[in-house]
């Protein structure tokens, strides 16, 4: 996910571009850049935040970009805008050009010289290749060559127009008086205009000071209506959601699909291993613990999961293991310290992270990325479920490679994995009921989250989310452990959130619910089985999935439960007290 902007009108383009980009910084902040046309084309771009762009280019036409790296590490060379060989055409792009290698090879044969590792640079060279005497025609021809997702804006030396195109990445046009705007999201230009055209997939747009023409891919004109927006700038940044956390919870179907799509389009690294160690902190640790159940079930190799802060100082272990580090930020000091140690001890290492080029990637042999896009809320949500996606994918692929499951079984499981976005979408549809349950438990001083097997880590994660953002004391336990001590604390009406999937342990969970009910707990069951209503005080209904995949749906239901509890209690949901999004200290 990146942010793109464009401006044409009577104001200083540099000022408008930097201001509008700043409003899109939440979409990525690996690098930034602008291109301004004032007869000549001038470009400034750099690794780092938008504030590092200090140019004072004069001109009233331009485009800008803030990057969330996907192809190529964050660097000055990989920053947008990209220019063609002559430095006359500049483009910015958000999305992934899937056929860029093929296009790049063809363009190199024709003599084009590339300066970056990105997929985006091909767009500038393609426009150059097609340019005869019309910037618009060359742009349309170039867009027709692209496969994948894109929102693109382009400018050219000597031209007073911006060309733009959209396919599967957002792009909106802001309509002003003798000025027009382009952006990935409405909030970028909302202080200048609230009249917008939301482009559709396959549309191309020509924007000048006084008109906006929209075309289909064949170059035929298309009519689109102007909508007037009545959101405030702040509302708009969160796309109308009250908090980033809620927005990110609702982004999960898309994030899961993007993550799986990226994994499917890549070859898995070759690795030989007899045992696995997983090392992480907080929510990422809970993803690792879920991964243990899935890897052991499908691969039948032992998996040990460690807190990174403990792993760093453990006595040396003789046996070597594939050691997997999970960190959404890629910057957590404990996890990086643990990765250095694992390498020093001679282990083969792999990271699962959401941030391309983050520090952890420098200390491991292999990296698998989640494709969740930037996560702003301190509480991890979409990065957690996409970590699960990577771990499930890893387990299925290696179980098949190692001959632990048949190719047919692997394909069946991959098909199920592809449905997780759909099932998560259905959990999101239960939000009103979850809100109601939140009202029933919000006054509690303390809660337990219980589950068994592969959902035990989801109980831990549910309790962590609840503590983090609602500040209510919550503990997660394996349901069978309650009777060994924690049941002593059950008091009248204490909420016990029980995860009851329809799997091999369903009956055992019902027995555990009866145990706490008998001690007057207020039981909230998270289940796809209606029968559970007989035993629980209230139920969060979720869709039935293949038993192996229930952690996804349960996790999302509990994210919504903690979000709504925290909201009822009036907490600072996106920035809870005492916490930071990235913990770079030991
Ligand atoms: C999650 O909601 C927390 N904010 C926290 O536990 C987090 O998961 C932990 O600090 C690890 O972060 P990382 O994934 O960036 O390494």
């Amino acid at each position: 996910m990146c942010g793109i902007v464009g401006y044409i009108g009577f104001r200083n383009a540099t000022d408008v571009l930097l201001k509008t980009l700043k409003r899109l910084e939440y979409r990525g902040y690996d690098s930034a850049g602008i291109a301004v046309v004032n007869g000549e084309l001038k470009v400034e771009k750099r690794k780092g935040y938008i504030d590092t762009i200090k140019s004072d280019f004069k001109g009233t036409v331009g485009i800008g970009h803030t990057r969330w790296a996907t192809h190529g590490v964050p660097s000055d060379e990989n920053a947008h805008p990209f220019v063609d060989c002559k430095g006359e055409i500049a483009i910015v792009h958000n999305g992934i050009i899937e056929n860029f290698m093929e296009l790049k090879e063809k363009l190199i044969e024709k003599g084009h010289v590339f300066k970056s590792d990105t997929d985006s640079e091909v767009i500038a060279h393609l426009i150059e290749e097609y340019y005869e005497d019309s910037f618009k025609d060359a742009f349309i021809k170039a867009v027709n060559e692209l496969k994948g997702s894109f929102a693109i804006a382009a400018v050219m030396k000597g031209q007073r127009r911006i060309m733009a195109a959209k396919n599967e990445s957002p792009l909106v046009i802001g309509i002003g008086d003798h000025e027009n705007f382009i952006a990935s999201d409405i909030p970028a230009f909302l202080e200048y205009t609230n009249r917008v055209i939301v482009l559709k997939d396959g549309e191309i747009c020509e924007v000048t000071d006084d008109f906006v023409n929209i075309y289909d891919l064949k170059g035929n004109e298309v009519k689109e209506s102007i909508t007037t927006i009545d959101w405030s700038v702040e509302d708009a940044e969160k796309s109308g959601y009250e908090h980033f956390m809620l927005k990110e919870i609702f982004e999960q179907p898309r994030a899961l699909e993007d993550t799986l799509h990226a994994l499917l389009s890549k070859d898995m690294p070759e690795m030989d291993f007899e045992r696995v160690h997983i090392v992480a902190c907080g929510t990422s640790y809970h993803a690792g613990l879920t991964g243990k159940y899935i890897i052991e079930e499908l691969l039948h190799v032992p998996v040990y999961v460690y807190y990174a802060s403990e792993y760093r100082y453990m006595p040396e272990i003789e046996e070597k293991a594939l050691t997997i580090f999970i960190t959404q930020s890629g910057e957590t000091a404990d996890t990086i310290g643990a990765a250095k140690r694992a390498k020093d001890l001679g282990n083969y290492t792999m990271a699962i992270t959401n941030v391309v080029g983050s520090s952890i990637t420098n200390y491991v042999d292999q990296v698998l990325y989640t494709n969740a896009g930037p996560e702003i809320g301190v509480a991890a949500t979409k990065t957690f479920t996409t970590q699960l996606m990577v771990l499930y994918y890893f387990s299925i692929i290696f179980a098949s490679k190692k001959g632990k499951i048949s190719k047919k079984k692997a394909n069946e499981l991959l098909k199920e994995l592809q449905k997780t976005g759909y099932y998560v979408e259905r959990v999101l549809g239960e939000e009103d009921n979850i809100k109601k349950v939140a009202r029933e438990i919000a006054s509690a001083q303390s809660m337990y989250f219980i589950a068994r097997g592969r959902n035990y880590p989801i109980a831990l994660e549910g309790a962590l989310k609840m503590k983090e953002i609602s500040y209510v004391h919550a503990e997660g336990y394996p349901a069978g452990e309650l009777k060994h001590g924690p049941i002593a604390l059950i008091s009248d009406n204490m909420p016990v959130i029980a995860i009851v999937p329809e799997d091999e342990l369903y009956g055992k969970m019902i027995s555990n619910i009866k145990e706490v009910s008998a001690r007057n707990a207020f039981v909230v069951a998270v289940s796809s089985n209606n029968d559970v209503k007989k035993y629980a005080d209230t139920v969060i209904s979720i869709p039935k999935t293949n038993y192996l995949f229930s952690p996804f749906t349960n996790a999302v239901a509990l994210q919504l439960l903690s979000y709504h509890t925290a909201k009822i209690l009036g907490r600072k949901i996106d920035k809870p007290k005492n916490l930071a999004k990235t913990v770079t200290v030991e």
Side-chain angles (χ1 to χ4, degrees), residues 281-284 326-329 332 378-380 387 464-465 468 583:
C281 305
T283 289
S284 296
I326 308 179
T327 164
Q328 63 80 23
S329 62
T332 300
V378 164
Q387 287 167 351
L464 176 66
K465 276 302 78 100
E468 261 194 302
V583 185

Side-chain angles (χ1 to χ4, degrees), residues 124-323:
H125 291 274
L126 264 184
I127 303 172
E128 178 182 31
E129 188 59 32
Y130 280 118
Y131 184 75
E132 286 173 6
D133 52 9
S134 161
F135 176 35
K136 181 184 115 187
D137 292 350
F139 183 83
I140 294 178
K141 282 183 186 155
V143 169
N144 272 281
E145 295 276 323
L146 304 176
K147 290 199 182 110
S149 58
F150 49 81
I152 304 165
V155 288
M156 186 172 180
K157 172 186 166 181
Q159 297 268 340
R160 223 180 142 74
R161 58 174 42 71
I162 303 173
M163 295 303 302
K166 170 190 160 32
N167 193 49
E168 291 177 19
S169 294
L171 195 61
V172 285
I173 313 293
I175 312 293
D177 289 330
H178 306 299
E179 62 176 349
N180 289 307
F181 304 80
I182 292 176
S184 300
D185 251 358
I186 296 165
F189 53 63
L190 206 51
E191 72 167 281
Y192 301 104
T193 181
N194 63 350
R195 297 171 66 229
V196 306
I197 297 175
V198 180
L199 287 188
K200 298 203 181 85
D201 285 345
E203 286 185 339
I204 290 175
C205 189
E206 179 186 18
V207 186
T208 70
D209 304 63
D210 289 309
F211 69 79
V212 172
N213 284 340
I214 300 170
Y215 308 96
D216 65 17
L217 287 172
K218 292 193 179 121
N220 303 314
E221 245 187 86
V222 178
K223 284 273 162 269
E224 288 295 353
S225 50
I226 298 176
T227 310
T228 304
I229 300 293
D230 57 4
W231 310 330
S232 71
V233 171
E234 216 206 2
D235 287 347
E237 261 175 1
K238 295 177 192 137
S239 309
Y241 288 99
E242 199 173 337
H243 297 96
F244 280 110
M245 182 183 175
L246 190 62
K247 175 173 177 268
E248 287 154 6
I249 289 174
F250 273 80
E251 279 170 352
Q252 287 177 108
R254 182 65 197 253
L256 287 164
E257 276 158 26
D258 287 351
T259 301
L260 184 57
H261 183 76
L263 290 167
L264 286 166
S265 58
K266 247 180 95 149
D267 286 335
M268 262 282 172
E270 287 303 325
M271 289 181 268
D272 193 23
F273 52 90
E274 293 306 320
R275 62 186 56 73
V276 178
H277 291 172
I278 301 181
V279 185
C281 305
T283 289
S284 296
Y285 172 86
H286 298 148
L289 205 52
T290 317
K292 168 186 165 71
Y293 284 88
I294 307 306
I295 297 170
E296 289 183 344
E297 179 153 359
L298 295 178
L299 273 121
H300 307 288
V301 296
V303 182
Y304 302 93
V305 189
Y306 301 97
Y307 286 113
S309 51
E310 291 297 311
Y311 180 94
R312 291 180 77 168
Y313 303 108
M314 270 180 5
E316 186 170 335
I317 299 170
E318 289 286 311
E319 288 171 343
K320 299 286 170 266
L322 164 63
T323 311

Side-chain angles (χ1 to χ4, degrees), residues 13-48:
T14 302
D15 293 347
V16 178
L17 294 171
L18 292 177
K19 212 165 176 187
T20 49
L21 271 183
K22 200 76 191 136
R23 294 221 174 271
L24 294 183
E25 203 162 31
Y26 75 89
R27 299 179 67 86
Y29 32 77
D30 289 329
S31 63
I34 59 168
V36 173
V37 179
N38 186 6
E40 291 302 305
L41 174 72
K42 295 210 164 132
V43 175
E44 182 180 347
K45 56 183 196 167
R46 193 158 295 120
K47 177 181 171 184

Side-chain angles (χ1 to χ4, degrees), residues 70-88:
T70 55
H71 284 71
V73 296
S75 65
D76 292 354
E77 295 72 34
N78 290 339
H80 298 223
F82 291 107
V83 294
D84 64 324
C85 295
K86 296 195 206 99
E88 294 182 349

